[in-house]
Amino acid sequence: KTQVEQSPQSLVVRQGENCVLQCNYSVTPDNHLRWFKQDTGKGLVSLTVLVDQKDKTSNGRYSATLDKDAKHSTLHITATLLDDTATYICVVGDRGSALGRLHFGAGTQLIVIP
Amino acid sequence: DMKVTQMPRYLIKRMGENVLLECGQDMSHETMYWYRQDPGLGLQLIYISYDVDSNSEGDIPKGYRVSRKKREHFSLILDSAKTNQTSVYFCASSPLGSQNTLYFGAGTRLSVL
């Protein structure tokens, strides 16, 4: 059973527009949540990690929220660029150490057009 | 330079052949992982290694084995590859004490014909 669901599956936006990606999960316990960016044919690169019960992070044009009560996270991308075209993957960790398990979503494919 | 390096990047094998995928990291991370990524699915954990010769099965270990003789190297072996093992394989590493630092390699695209 999929424990991390991402929506939408794919998204097309025009350069300069903002977009929001969603991640809902059922993983318990939920120690932390991380967003990764995966360029086509490349590995995963961490964008941000959220830890607190209600958490917010910001990393340049990327900002993220986490609500552990709702088991829900969002990734906001402001003023999208063509280089933002990628798959964005939500990952929930059930522990803070490597002894825990990571649960991966299938990703949201974002395409930014001129 | 903090890096996870995977070799080869692309590989084509025939069914029944043996396959060796190699992964190296330069961060002295204790923990290393092998995942596979298939279209429409999240990454699936094949094996995890907590240090040299300390390996544990992940969620889909069948048909795979691993070797970790040095902390910086982690190999994935497919004995007698099957067509359903066609996939993209990712190696990752993290310190044992924290998953807040997690680095991925660029992946190996394996096709088994």
Side-chain angles (χ1 to χ4, degrees), chain A residues 17-84:
Chain A
E17 291 180 341
N18 302 334
C19 65
V20 182
L21 283 55
Q22 313 279 352
C23 177
N24 289 286
Y25 62 92
S26 58
V27 177
T28 299
D30 49 350
N31 177 272
H32 64 278
L33 186 146
R34 186 184 296 270
W35 285 94
F36 285 94
K37 179 186 180 188
Q38 184 180 27
D39 291 319
T40 302
K42 301 283 179 65
L44 283 68
V45 175
S46 179
L47 294 174
T48 191
V49 62
L50 302 115
V51 179
D52 294 335
Q53 194 71 17
K54 292 196 194 299
D55 206 354
K56 288 184 181 181
T57 62
S58 184
N59 178 10
R61 294 180 299 103
Y62 299 102
S63 61
T65 66
L66 173 63
D67 182 343
K68 287 188 177 181
D69 293 330
K71 292 190 179 292
H72 177 72
S73 176
T74 60
L75 178 68
H76 298 247
I77 308 176
T78 304
T80 52
L81 303 172
L82 297 178
D83 282 347
D84 291 331

Side-chain angles (χ1 to χ4, degrees), chain B residues 2 19 29 79 90 94-95 101:
Chain B
M2 297 178 288
V19 177
H29 286 167
D79 294 315
F90 286 98
S94 70
T101 309

Side-chain angles (χ1 to χ4, degrees), chain B residues 4 6 16 31 50-51 53 56 63 70 85 91 108:
Chain B
V4 176
Q6 291 187 236
T31 311
Y50 296 107
D51 213 328
D53 285 330
S56 292
K70 292 182 180 179
Q85 292 178 308
C91 175
T108 294

